[in-house]
PDB file of all heavy atoms in Angstrom:
ATOM      1  N   MET A 229     -31.724-108.329   7.066  1.00 58.00           N
ATOM      2  CA  MET A 229     -32.345-107.925   5.820  1.00 58.00           C
ATOM      3  C   MET A 229     -31.449-106.865   5.142  1.00 58.00           C
ATOM      4  O   MET A 229     -30.957-105.983   5.887  1.00 58.00           O
ATOM      5  CB  MET A 229     -33.667-107.422   6.005  1.00 58.00           C
ATOM      6  CG  MET A 229     -34.467-107.118   4.729  1.00 58.00           C
ATOM      7  SD  MET A 229     -36.225-106.967   5.076  1.00 58.00           S
ATOM      8  CE  MET A 229     -36.448-105.296   4.502  1.00 58.00           C
ATOM      9  N   LEU A 230     -31.320-106.946   3.886  1.00 72.00           N
ATOM     10  CA  LEU A 230     -30.506-105.944   3.222  1.00 72.00           C
ATOM     11  C   LEU A 230     -31.250-104.660   3.095  1.00 72.00           C
ATOM     12  O   LEU A 230     -32.455-104.638   2.956  1.00 72.00           O
ATOM     13  CB  LEU A 230     -30.185-106.449   1.756  1.00 72.00           C
ATOM     14  CG  LEU A 230     -29.265-107.613   1.648  1.00 72.00           C
ATOM     15  CD1 LEU A 230     -29.161-108.070   0.198  1.00 72.00           C
ATOM     16  CD2 LEU A 230     -27.908-107.231   2.230  1.00 72.00           C
ATOM     17  N   GLN A 231     -30.523-103.528   3.042  1.00 87.00           N
ATOM     18  CA  GLN A 231     -31.143-102.268   2.826  1.00 87.00           C
ATOM     19  C   GLN A 231     -31.458-102.070   1.446  1.00 87.00           C
ATOM     20  O   GLN A 231     -30.939-102.733   0.579  1.00 87.00           O
ATOM     21  CB  GLN A 231     -30.177-101.212   3.372  1.00 87.00           C
ATOM     22  CG  GLN A 231     -28.899-101.136   2.503  1.00 87.00           C
ATOM     23  CD  GLN A 231     -27.960 -99.983   2.994  1.00 87.00           C
ATOM     24  OE1 GLN A 231     -28.314 -99.175   3.718  1.00 87.00           O
ATOM     25  NE2 GLN A 231     -26.746 -99.977   2.552  1.00 87.00           N
ATOM     26  N   LYS A 232     -32.388-101.132   1.125  1.00 93.00           N
ATOM     27  CA  LYS A 232     -32.704-100.786  -0.237  1.00 93.00           C
ATOM     28  C   LYS A 232     -31.500-100.144  -0.954  1.00 93.00           C
ATOM     29  O   LYS A 232     -30.825 -99.374  -0.372  1.00 93.00           O
ATOM     30  CB  LYS A 232     -33.951 -99.917  -0.340  1.00 93.00           C
ATOM     31  CG  LYS A 232     -35.150-100.541   0.176  1.00 93.00           C
ATOM     32  CD  LYS A 232     -35.632-101.592  -0.753  1.00 93.00           C
ATOM     33  CE  LYS A 232     -37.015-102.152  -0.323  1.00 93.00           C
ATOM     34  NZ  LYS A 232     -37.505-103.196  -1.162  1.00 93.00           N
ATOM     35  N   LEU A 233     -31.312-100.551  -2.121  1.00 93.00           N
ATOM     36  CA  LEU A 233     -30.156-100.003  -2.957  1.00 93.00           C
ATOM     37  C   LEU A 233     -30.645 -99.352  -4.210  1.00 93.00           C
ATOM     38  O   LEU A 233     -31.772 -99.617  -4.660  1.00 93.00           O
ATOM     39  CB  LEU A 233     -29.221-101.161  -3.409  1.00 93.00           C
ATOM     40  CG  LEU A 233     -28.658-101.995  -2.276  1.00 93.00           C
ATOM     41  CD1 LEU A 233     -27.892-103.287  -2.899  1.00 93.00           C
ATOM     42  CD2 LEU A 233     -27.790-101.314  -1.341  1.00 93.00           C
ATOM     43  N   GLU A 237     -26.002 -99.390  -7.184  1.00 94.00           N
ATOM     44  CA  GLU A 237     -25.540-100.154  -6.060  1.00 94.00           C
ATOM     45  C   GLU A 237     -25.952-101.667  -6.204  1.00 94.00           C
ATOM     46  O   GLU A 237     -25.248-102.485  -5.911  1.00 94.00           O
ATOM     47  CB  GLU A 237     -26.037 -99.639  -4.765  1.00 94.00           C
ATOM     48  CG  GLU A 237     -25.532 -98.292  -4.376  1.00 94.00           C
ATOM     49  CD  GLU A 237     -26.258 -97.611  -3.227  1.00 94.00           C
ATOM     50  OE1 GLU A 237     -27.474 -97.812  -3.183  1.00 94.00           O
ATOM     51  OE2 GLU A 237     -25.659 -96.815  -2.482  1.00 94.00           O
TER      52      GLU A 237
END
Side-chain angles (χ1 to χ4, degrees):
M229 186 165 119
L230 293 174
Q231 64 180 347
K232 294 289 184 180
L233 305 173
E237 292 168 331

